[in-house]
């Protein structure tokens, strides 16, 4: 399982409840997400985990943290990625992106829930593809 490094359990529950209950297709709700989550950093985190084919994630091996000041935003941190980069059988899970979305709703995989919610917003879809293109161009 993952865990919180910083921030409070109440803040975490508020954040995950918002992600689950608010339709992020609505631009106002999507803007609120930006005040709760470092969306740009989260997107880079997701791209790295999927590209690396970390198959011991997202149900395990995740950390999330939020500074405890008024403008703190949640971020996710990579750790314990020993199953990335081909360490597990590729034929078992050849499509890391699809595998990620299959984790949606797994209480131990909030990153999948957050990404699924963000993808309901067309602006985020465009941002994700642009960031993916930018990241892959640097490899």
């Amino acid at each position: 399982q993952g865990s919180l490094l910083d921030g409070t359990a109440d803040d975490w529950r508020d954040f995950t409840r918002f992600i689950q209950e608010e339709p992020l297709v609505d631009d106002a709700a999507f803007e609120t997400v930006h005040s709760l989550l470092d969306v740009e950093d989260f997107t880079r985190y997701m791209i790295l985990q999927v590209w690396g084919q970390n198959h011991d994630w997202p149900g395990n091996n995740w950390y999330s943290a939020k500074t405890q000041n008024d403008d703190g935003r949640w971020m996710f941190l990579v750790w314990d990625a020993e199953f990335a980069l081909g360490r597990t059988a590729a034929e078992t899970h050849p499509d890391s992106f699809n595998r990620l979305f299959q984790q949606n709703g797994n209480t131990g995989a909030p990153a999948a829930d957050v990404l699924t919610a963000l993808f309901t917003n067309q602006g985020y879809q465009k941002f994700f593809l642009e960031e993916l293109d930018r990241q892959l161009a640097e490899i």
Side-chain angles (χ1 to χ4, degrees):
Q1 293 288 333
S3 63
L4 303 177
L5 290 178
D6 202 355
T8 68
D10 287 340
D11 283 347
W12 179 252
R13 278 190 296 275
D14 291 346
F15 169 65
T16 57
R17 186 177 309 118
F18 183 85
I19 290 294
Q20 293 167 356
E21 294 175 0
E22 292 298 321
L24 299 186
V25 67
D26 175 60
D27 287 334
F30 186 67
E31 287 303 314
T32 299
V33 167
H34 277 275
S35 69
L36 301 172
L37 172 71
D38 186 334
V39 173
E40 294 78 11
D41 185 70
F42 175 77
T43 302
R44 290 186 290 269
Y45 167 85
M46 296 304 290
I47 290 169
L48 176 63
Q49 294 281 33
V50 171
W51 176 83
Q53 294 185 324
N54 186 3
H55 290 295
D56 197 20
W57 169 89
N60 294 306
N61 299 336
W62 61 270
Y63 278 136
S64 190
K66 174 187 171 224
T67 58
Q68 294 186 27
N69 57 27
D70 291 339
D71 59 349
R73 297 183 297 164
W74 287 103
M75 65 181 105
F76 285 75
L77 306 161
V78 175
W79 79 283
D80 197 15
E82 78 275 10
F83 287 105
L85 299 175
R87 176 106 191 265
T88 58
E91 60 274 1
T92 305
H93 301 290
D95 184 346
S96 293
F97 204 61
N98 186 44
R99 182 180 174 282
L100 171 66
F101 284 107
Q102 290 173 353
Q103 297 291 314
N104 185 39
N106 175 348
T107 57
D113 296 339
V114 173
L115 188 64
T116 299
L118 289 173
F119 267 133
T120 64
N121 184 282
Q122 288 184 347
Y124 182 76
Q125 292 172 20
K126 182 179 179 195
F127 171 75
F128 184 92
L129 291 174
E130 289 170 352
E131 185 62 17
L132 178 62
D133 186 52
R134 189 181 75 74
Q135 293 289 331
L136 292 176
E138 292 182 10
I139 295 176

